[in-house]
Amino acid sequence: MIPNDRTGGIIYSPGTSGTFKNAVLQVHTDAGLSGEHVVSFLANLAAIPMFAKQLVGQNALERERLYQSTKFTQRGLSGISTGVVDCALWDIAGKYYNAPVYELLGGYRKRLTAYASTYHGDEEIGGLNSPEAYADFAEQCLELGYKAFKIHGWEEGPVEREIKVVQAVRDRVGDRMMLMNDPACAINTFGDAWRVGRACDEAGFFWLEDPFKDGGLSIHAHRKLRQKIKTPLLVSEHVNLLEPTIDFAMADATDFVRADTDYDGGITGVMKIAHAAEGLGLDTEVHLVGPARRHCIASIRNANFYEMGLVHPRGGFYGPPIFNNGYRDALDAIDADGCVSVPEGPGLGVQLDWDYIRRRRTAHAVYD
């Protein structure tokens, strides 16, 4: 599994390997408690030097105030590093009150229905190299217990192939699974996006996500597409934080709202987005995997799924094996009903394998 050199997407390439770097953010307190959060996208650490000194000496339980102050310091940068710090602060809070984060948030459910979210298409034997291969994989996921399946198609190539994969998966499992399509902002033109949208209409897809090569930013273009197709749109993954995300919804440019703990201001930010969307009568779908995301979904009524991804017939990339208390995200990490559980320990409820982490550490920074 390697990044596509031209597009950056993760694709299957047998006989090759790639290097993926993760980070662990720790926030320490003078009470002897530490909050920890695993960061998959290192860009989310980039602005921490801007505000780290401001956090020293502050009350770690005043998450709302710290959310607001770090967001203010990063104005113009979409609060890029607020989220990872906020997740660590919630971990501290749970440990302080001896409760899992989802209980502190109010709690709504303890089991989360997962959908299988695929790698991008490839050209390899045994991979996702054809519409039929996607259909085969969807059927495999159904047999494992998944109730829903999301296609990430090819990031390059003719739009006709994107349409054929929608049709092939619908024909194979469409009467037994909920289906979604995520071009991941790869479709070049409005016309091609409309054609893919029409195919999703005919196939009865649950949503179409981030179709345009605008990077998921244009309110006008998505509103126009929404007016011309029946399939609900899920947009706003790349529109970070509460205000611009809800602007998208208020402008009728999306039907579902996207939220991510690392992109959107942490657990605090995701819950703000979810409650605002609830007030508009819309659902919030949380992006990708991880303990913080599970706690959020467990506390949001207006959410449908946990995104198990990215998955592939030959395996998947879910981050390094750094948890030693049984927590895992993987294609086979669901139960017979297609669900995952929420960690029950204090805070985020997971334990990190610090021996593994220290042996592979490539850099270390301290702010005090």
Side-chain angles (χ1 to χ4, degrees):
M1 309 295 175
I2 61 170
N4 185 320
D5 289 338
R6 293 180 299 278
T7 65
I10 305 299
I11 59 171
Y12 170 65
S13 182
T16 63
S17 63
T19 299
F20 298 89
K21 290 187 177 182
N22 286 252
V24 178
L25 176 69
Q26 289 184 297
V27 177
H28 302 289
T29 70
D30 57 9
L33 297 174
S34 295
E36 300 168 343
H37 177 59
V38 178
V39 183
S40 299
F41 302 99
L42 298 189
N44 290 116
L45 301 172
I48 287 179
M50 294 178 63
F51 60 76
K53 297 290 186 181
Q54 300 172 24
L55 299 182
V56 176
Q58 302 296 317
N59 186 341
L61 298 179
E62 295 180 351
R63 296 175 301 280
E64 176 65 21
R65 184 173 61 80
L66 297 177
Y67 167 91
Q68 297 294 345
S69 66
T70 58
K71 177 183 168 187
F72 176 76
T73 300
Q74 299 168 88
R75 57 195 182 279
L77 298 176
S78 298
I80 190 171
S81 297
T82 291
V84 295
V85 173
D86 182 80
C87 290
L89 295 177
W90 275 98
D91 191 37
I92 290 172
K95 293 171 180 175
Y96 181 82
Y97 293 110
N98 194 32
V101 165
Y102 78 86
E103 286 188 0
L104 299 185
L105 292 171
Y108 184 77
R109 70 193 108 206
K110 294 186 178 181
R111 297 172 68 245
L112 316 176
T113 301
Y115 68 87
S117 183
T118 75
Y119 272 60
H120 286 284
D122 54 65
E123 311 296 339
E124 306 292 344
I125 295 174
L128 295 172
N129 62 355
S130 68
E132 292 71 27
Y134 274 93
D136 289 343
F137 187 42
E139 196 159 37
Q140 176 188 342
C141 291
L142 176 66
E143 292 170 356
L144 285 171
Y146 285 96
K147 304 295 192 299
F149 183 83
K150 187 172 83 174
I151 298 163
H152 287 105
W154 294 268
E155 293 182 298
E156 302 172 295
V159 71
E160 287 78 13
R161 186 163 61 167
E162 303 293 333
I163 293 170
K164 287 180 180 178
V165 75
V166 167
Q167 296 167 339
V169 173
R170 182 273 318 272
D171 290 346
R172 186 75 63 85
V173 299
D175 59 342
R176 294 173 290 167
M177 299 182 86
M178 299 179 75
L179 301 176
M180 299 84 99
N181 186 23
D182 182 3
C185 304
I187 298 177
N188 283 316
T189 68
F190 183 92
D192 282 349
W194 174 76
R195 292 174 64 190
V196 171
R198 287 291 303 276
C200 290
D201 289 349
E202 294 170 3
F205 269 45
F206 191 56
W207 75 55
L208 172 63
E209 182 175 348
D210 283 333
F212 295 120
K213 217 160 205 173
D214 71 317
L217 300 176
S218 173
I219 287 177
H220 177 79
H222 289 94
R223 182 172 60 242
K224 294 294 288 186
L225 180 64
R226 186 171 173 269
Q227 292 168 351
K228 294 183 177 296
I229 65 172
K230 297 177 182 178
T231 303
L233 290 184
L234 191 165
V235 189
S236 71
E237 176 181 330
H238 306 294
V239 182
N240 301 142
L241 297 177
L242 170 67
E243 295 84 358
T245 298
I246 299 306
D247 281 349
F248 240 88
M250 293 290 291
D252 293 329
T254 190
D255 297 282
F256 294 93
V257 174
R258 197 49 132 174
D260 186 295
T261 51
D262 287 7
Y263 298 167
D264 291 311
I267 293 170
T268 297
V270 167
M271 298 307 293
K272 287 176 182 287
I273 289 170
H275 293 323
E278 183 180 12
L280 298 175
L282 302 180
D283 293 344
T284 297
E285 299 301 324
V286 176
H287 180 235
L288 283 179
V289 297
R293 295 170 175 90
R294 291 198 191 190
H295 283 282
C296 287
I297 300 169
S299 308
I300 298 171
R301 176 193 63 78
N302 51 314
N304 294 286
F305 293 111
Y306 180 73
E307 181 177 15
M308 185 64 78
L310 301 172
V311 297
H312 189 276
R314 297 290 185 177
F317 177 73
Y318 318 98
I322 60 174
F323 301 105
N324 62 10
N325 65 333
Y327 178 90
R328 60 193 291 265
D329 287 298
L331 180 62
D332 62 351
I334 59 170
D335 62 22
D337 295 321
C339 296
V340 298
S341 60
V342 186
E344 290 286 354
L348 294 177
V350 293
Q351 299 172 6
L352 298 181
D353 185 345
W354 282 104
D355 289 338
Y356 178 96
I357 293 167
R358 291 188 181 101
R359 288 197 305 270
R360 291 161 176 80
R361 187 169 69 187
T362 59
H364 185 219
V366 177
Y367 302 95
D368 54 21

